[in-house]
Amino acid sequence: MRSLQTSLVPVFLTLVLFASVTNLAALVSPLFMMHVLDRVLPTGNLHTLAMLFLLAASALAIAAAFEVFRDRTLAAVASHIDSTGSKVAVAQSSAPAQVLEDVSAVSNLIGNRFSTLLDLPWIPLFGFALFLLH
């Protein structure tokens, strides 16, 4: 089981990177609106609006791609933990039914809820950034 944990460390570090990109991209919308109100409306420059829109749309598209990769990676990790943990549980446990249930619970947690845990540390940063923007 120790090798399973060490083999998943790079995957979880990648998931933290993906979460960082998607959470930073959540600040694109307030920044876009701030720049539109500060730069585009007073001057009426449509070229500035077009460039701001392209930058914001690109950032949001990249964030969406990272979110899809993060969800697929979490599903693959959950499946890997379920299959590997099930094999170990059946081979080494005297009560495999309970251990299989525990492995299933862990894989469900990782597959369904782990992305929320990756997003939680960003909440104070968002609050502070939006306070600064306001």
Side-chain angles (χ1 to χ4, degrees), residues 8-98:
L8 292 177
V9 169
V11 173
F12 285 119
L13 291 177
T14 304
L15 289 171
V16 168
L17 174 71
F18 286 176
S20 300
V21 170
T22 57
N23 283 302
L24 286 175
L27 293 174
V28 168
S29 180
L31 287 172
F32 173 75
M33 291 307 298
M34 183 182 74
H35 283 289
V36 166
L37 292 173
D38 287 346
R39 299 175 190 269
V40 176
L41 288 180
T43 63
N45 192 346
L46 294 180
H47 296 293
T48 304
L49 178 63
M51 289 306 293
L52 285 173
F53 175 77
L54 287 176
L55 286 172
S58 299
L60 291 175
I62 290 170
F66 271 70
E67 188 77 26
V68 167
F69 290 140
R70 183 175 77 167
D71 289 344
R72 287 185 181 178
T73 303
L74 281 172
V77 167
S79 175
H80 178 69
I81 287 174
D82 196 26
S83 65
T84 305
S86 298
K87 290 176 188 174
V88 170
V90 170
Q92 295 181 353
S93 178
S94 60
Q98 179 61 36

Coordinates of all heavy atoms in Angstrom, one line a residue, residues 8-98:
L8 N 1.2 8.0 -6.1 CA 0.1 9.0 -6.4 C 0.6 10.5 -6.0 O -0.2 11.4 -6.3 CB -1.1 8.7 -5.6 CG -1.9 7.4 -6.1 CD1 -3.1 7.1 -5.2 CD2 -2.3 7.6 -7.5
V9 N 1.7 10.6 -5.4 CA 2.2 11.9 -5.0 C 2.3 12.9 -6.2 O 1.8 14.0 -6.1 CB 3.5 11.9 -4.1 CG1 4.1 13.2 -3.9 CG2 3.2 11.2 -2.8
P10 N 3.0 12.5 -7.3 CA 3.1 13.4 -8.4 C 1.7 13.7 -9.0 O 1.5 14.8 -9.5 CB 3.9 12.6 -9.4 CG 4.6 11.6 -8.7 CD 3.8 11.3 -7.5
V11 N 0.8 12.8 -8.9 CA -0.6 13.0 -9.5 C -1.3 14.1 -8.6 O -1.9 15.0 -9.2 CB -1.4 11.7 -9.5 CG1 -2.8 12.0 -9.9 CG2 -0.8 10.7 -10.4
F12 N -1.1 14.0 -7.3 CA -1.8 15.0 -6.4 C -1.1 16.4 -6.6 O -1.8 17.4 -6.5 CB -1.8 14.5 -5.0 CG -2.9 13.5 -4.8 CD1 -2.5 12.2 -4.3 CD2 -4.2 13.7 -5.0 CE1 -3.5 11.2 -4.1 CE2 -5.2 12.8 -4.8 CZ -4.8 11.5 -4.4
L13 N 0.2 16.4 -6.8 CA 0.8 17.7 -7.0 C 0.4 18.3 -8.3 O 0.2 19.5 -8.4 CB 2.4 17.5 -7.0 CG 3.0 17.2 -5.7 CD1 4.5 16.9 -5.9 CD2 2.7 18.2 -4.7
T14 N 0.1 17.5 -9.3 CA -0.4 18.0 -10.6 C -1.8 18.5 -10.4 O -2.2 19.5 -10.9 CB -0.4 16.8 -11.6 OG1 0.9 16.4 -11.8 CG2 -0.9 17.3 -13.0
L15 N -2.6 17.8 -9.6 CA -4.0 18.3 -9.3 C -4.0 19.6 -8.5 O -4.8 20.4 -8.8 CB -4.7 17.2 -8.4 CG -5.1 15.9 -9.2 CD1 -5.6 14.9 -8.2 CD2 -6.1 16.2 -10.3
V16 N -3.0 19.8 -7.7 CA -2.9 21.1 -7.0 C -2.5 22.2 -8.0 O -3.1 23.3 -7.9 CB -1.8 21.0 -5.8 CG1 -1.5 22.4 -5.3 CG2 -2.3 20.1 -4.7
L17 N -1.7 21.9 -8.9 CA -1.4 22.9 -10.0 C -2.6 23.2 -10.8 O -2.9 24.3 -11.1 CB -0.3 22.3 -10.9 CG 0.1 23.2 -12.1 CD1 0.7 24.5 -11.7 CD2 0.9 22.4 -13.1
F18 N -3.4 22.2 -11.2 CA -4.6 22.4 -12.0 C -5.6 23.2 -11.2 O -6.2 24.1 -11.7 CB -5.3 21.1 -12.3 CG -4.6 20.3 -13.4 CD1 -5.0 19.1 -13.8 CD2 -3.5 20.8 -14.1 CE1 -4.4 18.3 -14.8 CE2 -2.9 20.1 -15.1 CZ -3.3 18.9 -15.5
A19 N -5.7 22.9 -9.9 CA -6.6 23.7 -9.0 C -6.1 25.2 -8.9 O -7.0 26.1 -8.9 CB -6.7 23.1 -7.6
S20 N -4.8 25.4 -8.9 CA -4.3 26.7 -8.8 C -4.7 27.5 -10.1 O -5.1 28.7 -10.0 CB -2.8 26.7 -8.6 OG -2.4 26.1 -7.5
V21 N -4.5 26.9 -11.2 CA -4.8 27.6 -12.5 C -6.3 27.9 -12.6 O -6.7 29.0 -12.9 CB -4.4 26.8 -13.7 CG1 -4.9 27.3 -15.0 CG2 -2.9 26.7 -13.7
T22 N -7.2 26.9 -12.2 CA -8.6 27.2 -12.4 C -9.1 28.2 -11.3 O -10.0 29.0 -11.6 CB -9.4 25.9 -12.2 OG1 -9.1 25.3 -10.9 CG2 -9.1 24.9 -13.3
N23 N -8.5 28.2 -10.2 CA -9.0 29.1 -9.2 C -8.5 30.5 -9.4 O -9.2 31.5 -9.2 CB -8.5 28.7 -7.8 CG -9.4 27.6 -7.2 OD1 -10.6 27.8 -7.1 ND2 -8.8 26.4 -7.0
L24 N -7.3 30.7 -10.0 CA -6.8 32.0 -10.4 C -7.6 32.5 -11.5 O -7.8 33.8 -11.6 CB -5.3 32.0 -10.7 CG -4.4 31.8 -9.5 CD1 -2.9 31.7 -10.0 CD2 -4.5 33.0 -8.6
A25 N -8.1 31.7 -12.4 CA -8.9 32.1 -13.5 C -10.2 32.6 -13.1 O -10.9 33.3 -13.8 CB -9.0 31.0 -14.5
A26 N -10.7 32.3 -11.9 CA -11.9 32.8 -11.4 C -11.9 34.3 -11.2 O -12.9 34.9 -11.1 CB -12.3 32.0 -10.1
L27 N -10.7 34.8 -11.1 CA -10.6 36.3 -10.9 C -10.6 37.0 -12.2 O -10.6 38.2 -12.2 CB -9.3 36.6 -10.1 CG -9.2 36.1 -8.7 CD1 -7.8 36.4 -8.1 CD2 -10.3 36.8 -7.9
V28 N -10.7 36.3 -13.3 CA -10.7 36.9 -14.6 C -11.9 37.8 -14.8 O -11.8 38.9 -15.3 CB -10.6 35.9 -15.7 CG1 -10.9 36.4 -17.1 CG2 -9.2 35.2 -15.7
S29 N -13.1 37.3 -14.4 CA -14.3 38.0 -14.7 C -14.3 39.4 -13.9 O -14.7 40.4 -14.6 CB -15.5 37.2 -14.3 OG -16.7 37.8 -14.5
P30 N -14.0 39.4 -12.6 CA -14.0 40.8 -12.0 C -12.9 41.7 -12.6 O -13.2 42.9 -12.7 CB -13.7 40.5 -10.5 CG -13.9 39.0 -10.3 CD -13.8 38.4 -11.7
L31 N -11.8 41.1 -12.9 CA -10.7 42.0 -13.6 C -11.2 42.5 -14.9 O -10.9 43.7 -15.3 CB -9.4 41.2 -13.7 CG -8.7 41.0 -12.4 CD1 -7.5 40.0 -12.6 CD2 -8.2 42.3 -11.8
F32 N -11.9 41.7 -15.7 CA -12.4 42.1 -17.0 C -13.4 43.2 -16.8 O -13.2 44.2 -17.5 CB -13.0 40.9 -17.7 CG -13.7 41.2 -19.0 CD1 -13.0 41.5 -20.1 CD2 -15.1 41.3 -19.0 CE1 -13.6 41.8 -21.3 CE2 -15.7 41.6 -20.2 CZ -15.0 41.9 -21.4
M33 N -14.3 43.1 -15.9 CA -15.3 44.1 -15.8 C -14.7 45.4 -15.2 O -15.1 46.5 -15.7 CB -16.4 43.6 -14.8 CG -17.3 42.6 -15.4 SD -18.0 43.0 -17.0 CE -18.9 44.4 -16.6
M34 N -13.7 45.3 -14.4 CA -13.0 46.5 -13.9 C -12.3 47.2 -15.0 O -12.4 48.4 -15.1 CB -12.0 46.1 -12.8 CG -11.3 47.3 -12.1 SD -10.1 46.8 -10.9 CE -8.8 46.2 -12.0
H35 N -11.6 46.5 -15.9 CA -10.9 47.1 -17.0 C -11.9 47.7 -18.0 O -11.6 48.8 -18.6 CB -10.0 46.2 -17.6 CG -8.7 46.0 -16.8 ND1 -7.7 46.9 -16.7 CD2 -8.3 44.9 -16.1 CE1 -6.8 46.5 -16.0 NE2 -7.1 45.3 -15.6
V36 N -13.0 47.0 -18.2 CA -14.0 47.6 -19.1 C -14.6 48.9 -18.6 O -14.7 49.9 -19.3 CB -15.1 46.6 -19.4 CG1 -16.3 47.2 -20.1 CG2 -14.6 45.4 -20.2
L37 N -14.9 48.9 -17.3 CA -15.4 50.1 -16.7 C -14.4 51.3 -16.6 O -14.7 52.4 -16.8 CB -16.0 49.8 -15.3 CG -17.2 49.0 -15.3 CD1 -17.6 48.6 -13.9 CD2 -18.4 49.6 -16.0
D38 N -13.1 50.9 -16.4 CA -12.1 51.9 -16.3 C -11.5 52.4 -17.6 O -11.1 53.6 -17.7 CB -11.0 51.4 -15.4 CG -11.4 51.4 -13.9 OD1 -12.4 51.9 -13.6 OD2 -10.7 50.7 -13.1
R39 N -11.4 51.5 -18.6 CA -10.7 51.8 -19.8 C -11.5 52.0 -21.0 O -11.3 52.8 -21.9 CB -9.6 50.8 -20.0 CG -8.6 50.7 -18.9 CD -7.6 49.5 -19.2 NE -6.8 49.2 -18.1 CZ -5.6 49.8 -17.9 NH1 -5.1 50.6 -18.8 NH2 -4.9 49.5 -16.8
V40 N -12.5 51.1 -21.1 CA -13.3 51.1 -22.4 C -14.4 52.1 -22.4 O -14.6 52.9 -23.3 CB -13.9 49.7 -22.6 CG1 -14.7 49.7 -23.9 CG2 -12.7 48.7 -22.8
L41 N -15.2 52.1 -21.3 CA -16.3 53.1 -21.3 C -15.9 54.5 -21.4 O -16.6 55.3 -22.1 CB -17.2 52.8 -20.0 CG -18.0 51.5 -20.1 CD1 -18.8 51.4 -18.8 CD2 -18.9 51.5 -21.3
P42 N -14.9 55.0 -20.6 CA -14.6 56.4 -20.8 C -14.1 56.8 -22.1 O -14.3 57.9 -22.6 CB -13.5 56.7 -19.7 CG -13.6 55.5 -18.8 CD -14.2 54.4 -19.5
T43 N -13.3 55.9 -22.8 CA -12.7 56.3 -24.1 C -13.6 55.8 -25.3 O -13.4 56.3 -26.4 CB -11.3 55.6 -24.2 OG1 -11.4 54.2 -24.2 CG2 -10.4 56.1 -23.1
G44 N -14.4 54.8 -25.1 CA -15.1 54.2 -26.2 C -14.3 53.4 -27.2 O -14.7 53.2 -28.3
N45 N -13.1 53.0 -26.8 CA -12.2 52.3 -27.7 C -12.6 50.8 -27.8 O -12.5 50.1 -26.9 CB -10.8 52.4 -27.1 CG -9.7 52.0 -28.1 OD1 -10.0 51.4 -29.1 ND2 -8.5 52.3 -27.8
L46 N -13.0 50.5 -29.0 CA -13.5 49.1 -29.2 C -12.3 48.1 -29.4 O -12.5 46.9 -29.1 CB -14.4 49.0 -30.4 CG -15.7 49.8 -30.3 CD1 -16.6 49.6 -31.5 CD2 -16.5 49.2 -29.1
H47 N -11.2 48.6 -29.8 CA -10.0 47.8 -29.9 C -9.6 47.3 -28.5 O -9.2 46.1 -28.3 CB -8.8 48.5 -30.6 CG -9.1 48.8 -32.0 ND1 -9.3 47.9 -33.0 CD2 -9.3 50.1 -32.6 CE1 -9.5 48.5 -34.1 NE2 -9.5 49.8 -33.9
T48 N -9.6 48.1 -27.5 CA -9.3 47.7 -26.1 C -10.3 46.7 -25.6 O -9.9 45.7 -25.0 CB -9.3 49.0 -25.2 OG1 -8.4 49.9 -25.7 CG2 -8.9 48.6 -23.8
L49 N -11.6 46.9 -25.9 CA -12.6 46.0 -25.5 C -12.4 44.6 -26.2 O -12.5 43.6 -25.5 CB -14.0 46.5 -25.9 CG -15.2 45.6 -25.6 CD1 -15.3 45.4 -24.1 CD2 -16.5 46.2 -26.1
A50 N -12.0 44.6 -27.5 CA -11.8 43.4 -28.2 C -10.6 42.6 -27.6 O -10.7 41.4 -27.4 CB -11.6 43.6 -29.6
M51 N -9.5 43.3 -27.3 CA -8.4 42.7 -26.7 C -8.7 42.1 -25.3 O -8.3 41.0 -24.9 CB -7.2 43.6 -26.7 CG -6.6 43.9 -28.0 SD -6.2 42.4 -29.0 CE -4.8 41.8 -28.0
L52 N -9.3 42.9 -24.5 CA -9.7 42.5 -23.1 C -10.6 41.2 -23.2 O -10.5 40.3 -22.5 CB -10.4 43.6 -22.4 CG -9.5 44.7 -21.8 CD1 -10.4 45.8 -21.3 CD2 -8.6 44.2 -20.8
F53 N -11.6 41.3 -24.2 CA -12.4 40.1 -24.3 C -11.7 38.9 -24.7 O -11.9 37.8 -24.2 CB -13.5 40.4 -25.3 CG -14.4 39.3 -25.6 CD1 -15.4 38.9 -24.7 CD2 -14.3 38.5 -26.8 CE1 -16.2 37.8 -25.0 CE2 -15.1 37.4 -27.0 CZ -16.0 37.0 -26.1
L54 N -10.8 39.0 -25.7 CA -10.0 37.9 -26.1 C -9.1 37.3 -25.0 O -9.0 36.1 -24.9 CB -9.1 38.2 -27.3 CG -9.8 38.4 -28.7 CD1 -8.9 38.9 -29.7 CD2 -10.5 37.1 -29.1
L55 N -8.5 38.2 -24.2 CA -7.7 37.7 -23.1 C -8.5 37.0 -22.1 O -8.2 35.9 -21.6 CB -6.9 38.9 -22.5 CG -5.8 39.4 -23.2 CD1 -5.3 40.7 -22.6 CD2 -4.7 38.4 -23.3
A56 N -9.7 37.6 -21.7 CA -10.6 37.0 -20.7 C -11.1 35.6 -21.2 O -11.2 34.6 -20.5 CB -11.7 37.9 -20.4
A57 N -11.5 35.6 -22.5 CA -12.1 34.4 -23.0 C -11.0 33.3 -23.1 O -11.3 32.1 -22.8 CB -12.7 34.6 -24.4
S58 N -9.8 33.6 -23.5 CA -8.7 32.7 -23.5 C -8.4 32.1 -22.1 O -8.2 30.9 -21.9 CB -7.4 33.3 -24.1 OG -7.7 33.8 -25.4
A59 N -8.4 33.0 -21.1 CA -8.1 32.6 -19.8 C -9.2 31.6 -19.3 O -8.9 30.6 -18.6 CB -7.9 33.8 -18.8
L60 N -10.4 32.0 -19.6 CA -11.5 31.1 -19.1 C -11.5 29.8 -19.9 O -11.9 28.7 -19.3 CB -12.9 31.8 -19.3 CG -13.1 33.0 -18.3 CD1 -14.3 33.7 -18.6 CD2 -13.0 32.5 -16.9
A61 N -11.1 29.8 -21.2 CA -11.1 28.5 -21.9 C -10.0 27.6 -21.4 O -10.1 26.4 -21.2 CB -10.8 28.8 -23.4
I62 N -8.8 28.2 -21.0 CA -7.7 27.4 -20.4 C -8.2 26.9 -19.1 O -7.9 25.7 -18.7 CB -6.5 28.3 -20.3 CG1 -5.9 28.6 -21.7 CG2 -5.4 27.7 -19.4 CD1 -4.8 29.6 -21.7
A63 N -8.9 27.7 -18.3 CA -9.4 27.2 -17.0 C -10.3 26.1 -17.2 O -10.3 25.1 -16.4 CB -10.0 28.4 -16.2
A64 N -11.2 26.2 -18.2 CA -12.2 25.1 -18.4 C -11.4 23.8 -18.8 O -11.8 22.7 -18.3 CB -13.1 25.5 -19.5
A65 N -10.4 23.9 -19.6 CA -9.6 22.7 -20.0 C -8.9 22.1 -18.8 O -8.9 20.9 -18.6 CB -8.6 23.1 -21.1
F66 N -8.4 22.9 -18.0 CA -7.7 22.4 -16.8 C -8.7 21.8 -15.8 O -8.4 20.8 -15.2 CB -7.0 23.6 -16.0 CG -5.6 23.7 -16.5 CD1 -5.3 24.2 -17.7 CD2 -4.5 23.4 -15.7 CE1 -4.0 24.4 -18.2 CE2 -3.2 23.6 -16.1 CZ -2.9 24.1 -17.3
E67 N -9.9 22.3 -15.8 CA -11.0 21.7 -14.9 C -11.4 20.3 -15.4 O -11.6 19.4 -14.7 CB -12.2 22.7 -14.9 CG -13.3 22.3 -13.9 CD -12.9 22.6 -12.5 OE1 -12.1 23.6 -12.3 OE2 -13.4 22.0 -11.6
V68 N -11.5 20.2 -16.7 CA -11.8 18.9 -17.3 C -10.7 17.9 -17.0 O -11.0 16.8 -16.6 CB -12.1 19.0 -18.9 CG1 -12.1 17.7 -19.5 CG2 -13.4 19.8 -19.1
F69 N -9.4 18.3 -17.2 CA -8.3 17.4 -17.0 C -8.3 17.1 -15.5 O -8.0 15.9 -15.1 CB -7.0 18.1 -17.4 CG -6.8 18.2 -18.8 CD1 -6.2 19.3 -19.4 CD2 -7.2 17.2 -19.7 CE1 -6.0 19.5 -20.7 CE2 -7.0 17.3 -21.1 CZ -6.4 18.5 -21.6
R70 N -8.6 18.0 -14.6 CA -8.6 17.7 -13.2 C -9.7 16.7 -12.8 O -9.4 15.8 -12.1 CB -8.8 19.0 -12.4 CG -8.7 18.8 -10.9 CD -8.8 20.1 -10.1 NE -10.2 20.6 -10.1 CZ -10.6 21.5 -9.3 NH1 -9.8 22.1 -8.5 NH2 -11.9 21.9 -9.3
D71 N -10.9 16.9 -13.4 CA -11.9 15.9 -13.1 C -11.6 14.5 -13.6 O -11.9 13.5 -13.0 CB -13.3 16.4 -13.6 CG -13.8 17.6 -12.9 OD1 -13.3 17.9 -11.8 OD2 -14.7 18.3 -13.4
R72 N -11.1 14.5 -14.8 CA -10.7 13.2 -15.4 C -9.6 12.5 -14.6 O -9.6 11.3 -14.4 CB -10.3 13.3 -16.9 CG -11.5 13.6 -17.8 CD -11.0 13.6 -19.2 NE -12.2 13.9 -20.0 CZ -12.1 14.0 -21.3 NH1 -10.9 13.9 -22.0 NH2 -13.2 14.3 -22.1
T73 N -8.6 13.3 -14.2 CA -7.5 12.7 -13.4 C -8.1 12.2 -12.0 O -7.7 11.1 -11.6 CB -6.4 13.8 -13.1 OG1 -6.0 14.3 -14.4 CG2 -5.3 13.2 -12.4
L74 N -8.9 13.0 -11.4 CA -9.5 12.5 -10.1 C -10.3 11.2 -10.3 O -10.3 10.3 -9.5 CB -10.4 13.6 -9.5 CG -9.7 14.7 -8.8 CD1 -10.7 15.8 -8.4 CD2 -9.0 14.2 -7.6
A75 N -11.1 11.1 -11.4 CA -11.8 9.9 -11.7 C -10.9 8.7 -11.9 O -11.1 7.6 -11.4 CB -12.7 10.1 -12.9
A76 N -9.8 9.0 -12.6 CA -8.8 7.9 -12.9 C -8.1 7.5 -11.6 O -7.9 6.3 -11.3 CB -7.7 8.3 -13.9
V77 N -7.8 8.4 -10.7 CA -7.1 8.1 -9.4 C -8.1 7.3 -8.6 O -7.7 6.3 -7.9 CB -6.7 9.4 -8.7 CG1 -6.3 9.1 -7.3 CG2 -5.5 10.0 -9.4
A78 N -9.4 7.7 -8.5 CA -10.4 7.0 -7.8 C -10.5 5.6 -8.3 O -10.6 4.6 -7.5 CB -11.7 7.7 -7.8
S79 N -10.5 5.4 -9.6 CA -10.7 4.0 -10.1 C -9.4 3.2 -9.8 O -9.5 2.0 -9.5 CB -10.8 4.2 -11.7 OG -10.8 2.9 -12.2
H80 N -8.3 3.8 -9.9 CA -7.0 3.1 -9.6 C -7.0 2.7 -8.1 O -6.6 1.6 -7.8 CB -5.8 4.0 -9.9 CG -4.5 3.4 -9.6 ND1 -4.0 2.4 -10.3 CD2 -3.6 3.7 -8.6 CE1 -2.8 2.0 -9.7 NE2 -2.5 2.9 -8.7
I81 N -7.4 3.6 -7.2 CA -7.4 3.3 -5.8 C -8.5 2.2 -5.5 O -8.2 1.3 -4.7 CB -7.7 4.5 -4.9 CG1 -6.5 5.4 -4.9 CG2 -8.2 4.2 -3.5 CD1 -6.7 6.8 -4.3
D82 N -9.6 2.2 -6.2 CA -10.6 1.2 -6.0 C -10.1 -0.2 -6.4 O -10.2 -1.1 -5.7 CB -11.9 1.6 -6.7 CG -13.1 0.8 -6.3 OD1 -13.1 0.4 -5.1 OD2 -14.0 0.7 -7.1
S83 N -9.5 -0.2 -7.6 CA -9.0 -1.5 -8.1 C -7.9 -2.1 -7.3 O -7.8 -3.2 -6.9 CB -8.7 -1.5 -9.6 OG -7.6 -0.6 -9.8
T84 N -6.9 -1.2 -7.0 CA -5.7 -1.6 -6.3 C -6.0 -1.9 -4.8 O -5.6 -3.0 -4.3 CB -4.6 -0.5 -6.3 OG1 -4.4 -0.2 -7.7 CG2 -3.3 -1.0 -5.7
G85 N -6.8 -1.1 -4.2 CA -7.2 -1.3 -2.8 C -8.1 -2.6 -2.7 O -8.0 -3.3 -1.7
S86 N -8.9 -2.8 -3.6 CA -9.7 -4.0 -3.6 C -8.9 -5.3 -3.7 O -9.1 -6.2 -2.9 CB -10.7 -4.0 -4.7 OG -11.6 -2.9 -4.6
K87 N -7.9 -5.3 -4.5 CA -7.0 -6.4 -4.6 C -6.2 -6.7 -3.3 O -6.1 -7.8 -2.8 CB -6.0 -6.3 -5.8 CG -6.6 -6.3 -7.1 CD -5.6 -6.0 -8.2 CE -6.3 -5.9 -9.6 NZ -5.4 -5.5 -10.6
V88 N -5.7 -5.6 -2.7 CA -5.0 -5.7 -1.5 C -5.9 -6.1 -0.3 O -5.6 -7.0 0.5 CB -4.3 -4.4 -1.1 CG1 -3.7 -4.4 0.3 CG2 -3.2 -4.1 -2.2
A89 N -7.1 -5.6 -0.3 CA -8.1 -5.9 0.7 C -8.5 -7.4 0.7 O -8.5 -8.1 1.7 CB -9.3 -5.1 0.6
V90 N -8.7 -7.9 -0.5 CA -9.1 -9.3 -0.6 C -7.9 -10.2 -0.2 O -8.1 -11.3 0.4 CB -9.6 -9.6 -2.0 CG1 -9.8 -11.1 -2.2 CG2 -10.9 -8.9 -2.2
A91 N -6.7 -9.8 -0.6 CA -5.5 -10.7 -0.4 C -5.1 -10.7 1.1 O -4.6 -11.7 1.6 CB -4.4 -10.2 -1.3
Q92 N -5.2 -9.5 1.8 CA -4.5 -9.4 3.1 C -5.5 -9.3 4.3 O -5.0 -9.3 5.4 CB -3.6 -8.2 3.1 CG -2.5 -8.4 2.1 CD -1.5 -7.1 2.2 OE1 -1.8 -6.2 2.8 NE2 -0.4 -7.2 1.4
S93 N -6.7 -9.2 4.1 CA -7.7 -9.0 5.2 C -8.4 -10.2 5.6 O -8.7 -11.1 4.8 CB -8.6 -7.9 4.8 OG -9.5 -7.7 5.8
S94 N -8.7 -10.3 6.9 CA -9.5 -11.4 7.4 C -11.0 -11.0 7.2 O -11.9 -11.9 7.2 CB -9.2 -11.7 8.8 OG -9.4 -10.5 9.6
A95 N -11.3 -9.7 7.1 CA -12.7 -9.3 6.9 C -12.7 -8.4 5.6 O -12.8 -7.2 5.7 CB -13.2 -8.5 8.1
P96 N -12.7 -9.0 4.5 CA -12.6 -8.3 3.2 C -13.8 -7.4 2.9 O -13.7 -6.4 2.3 CB -12.3 -9.3 2.2 CG -12.8 -10.6 2.7 CD -12.6 -10.5 4.2
A97 N -14.9 -7.8 3.4 CA -16.2 -7.0 3.1 C -16.1 -5.6 3.7 O -16.4 -4.7 3.0 CB -17.4 -7.8 3.6
Q98 N -15.7 -5.5 4.9 CA -15.6 -4.2 5.5 C -14.5 -3.4 4.9 O -14.6 -2.2 4.6 CB -15.3 -4.4 7.0 CG -15.1 -3.0 7.8 CD -16.4 -2.2 7.7 OE1 -17.5 -2.7 7.7 NE2 -16.2 -0.9 7.6

